[in-house]
Amino acid sequence: MKELSKRAWVLFFGIAFILPAMTYGALYWYNHRIAGLPYYGENYRLETSRPYYTVPDFSFVNQDGNLIDNNFIKDKIWVAHYFFTTCTTICPKMMNGMNDVQKVFAGNDDVRLVSFTVDPEQDSPAVLKQYAQLREIQSKQWGLLTGDKKMLYQYARKGLFIVATDGDGGDGDFIHSEKLVLMDRLGHIRGYYDGTEKNDIQLLINDIRRLLADN
């Protein structure tokens, strides 16, 4: 009787815990290895039919003092996020993750990286240039962008949807997000990733490879 009870408990444990975990693992593997990458719309909404949401144009100044607009990312697969140079919490981890992406795709003209500052008053082109040099950022592939705060914040909220908070980009407004956003060659959002997590960075790298293989 005791042996039967033990077997019953093992069977219950398997059904209650192991089977759901295996199911989740199988779905995760299918979604990220077999199924196509999803399309995202406003506020992370999954889109299932055309026309898919397209991120709007932008125009800001990079670490070299050059005006950077959509020509920088036209027909490219690109990753965007927001940061500021004096951040000591999530930004260093995010920049490390972006550095990993840069290393993997170094010299690949089909991949671009874009880091928008949330603190344009502090992050002048000269400050961004010094920051880029310390992190061995290659400006041909990776732009650190600054400009008008209201425009930067509008692009974060209404262009990339990296935060759900409201704000006008005024003096008292501030945003801070760990999200990295992946766009395809047509400017469709294809993924959001936690830039502080190594597993998400590897997933991002894999997804960039998938988009490269699709073209």
Side-chain angles (χ1 to χ4, degrees):
M1 182 65 70
K2 290 183 177 180
E3 184 65 24
L4 181 60
S5 298
K6 184 178 179 180
R7 289 180 179 177
W9 171 249
V10 171
L11 180 61
F12 170 79
F13 179 82
I15 294 174
F17 298 99
I18 298 178
L19 185 59
M22 291 178 64
T23 302
Y24 173 81
L27 289 173
Y28 184 89
W29 180 84
Y30 176 81
N31 288 332
H32 294 285
R33 293 295 182 270
I34 304 299
L37 293 180
Y39 291 84
Y40 290 89
E42 185 175 353
N43 297 326
Y44 324 125
R45 183 186 68 246
L46 288 174
E47 298 192 324
T48 58
S49 61
R50 298 177 185 274
Y52 300 123
Y53 171 79
T54 302
V55 296
D57 294 347
F58 63 83
S59 181
F60 298 106
V61 177
N62 76 347
Q63 64 266 38
D64 295 324
N66 298 324
L67 188 66
I68 297 295
D69 57 21
N70 271 54
N71 287 320
F72 183 67
I73 48 86
K74 184 179 180 181
D75 299 325
K76 311 294 183 183
I77 294 161
W78 59 292
V79 182
H81 77 117
Y82 276 71
F83 83 112
F84 59 108
T85 60
T86 56
C87 172
T88 59
T89 53
I90 65 173
C91 296
K93 293 181 180 179
M94 295 170 68
M95 297 306 285
N96 287 341
M98 292 284 280
N99 269 116
D100 289 342
V101 176
Q102 179 185 239
K103 291 175 183 176
V104 171
F105 299 101
N108 191 324
D109 193 49
D110 289 323
V111 178
R112 292 284 188 269
L113 307 176
V114 183
S115 300
F116 301 90
T117 181
V118 299
D119 187 12
E121 184 175 351
Q122 165 66 28
D123 290 340
S124 65
V127 170
L128 294 177
K129 181 70 172 181
Q130 185 178 30
Y131 188 85
Q133 290 173 340
L134 289 173
R135 291 187 168 270
E136 300 181 343
I137 290 172
Q138 304 300 314
S139 59
K140 183 179 180 180
Q141 187 177 37
W142 186 353
L144 308 182
L145 305 190
T146 189
D148 179 77
K149 182 179 179 181
K150 289 186 177 181
M151 296 298 293
L152 286 162
Y153 277 47
Q154 182 181 33
Y155 198 77
R157 289 188 168 107
K158 303 301 183 181
L160 299 175
F161 310 114
I162 67 165
V163 291
T165 59
D166 292 326
D168 61 0
D171 292 339
D173 193 9
F174 188 75
I175 59 177
H176 207 193
S177 173
E178 78 288 348
K179 289 185 175 63
L180 306 182
V181 190
L182 174 64
M183 270 66 60
D184 63 20
R185 296 179 191 273
L186 298 177
H188 303 312
I189 298 176
R190 307 302 298 274
Y192 288 93
Y193 310 83
D194 186 335
T196 67
E197 293 292 334
K198 290 185 177 181
N199 288 341
D200 264 32
I201 296 299
Q202 186 57 56
L203 178 59
L204 170 60
I205 290 170
N206 292 341
D207 287 347
I208 292 173
R209 286 174 172 152
R210 294 176 68 186
L211 290 179
L212 287 170
D214 288 341
N215 294 272

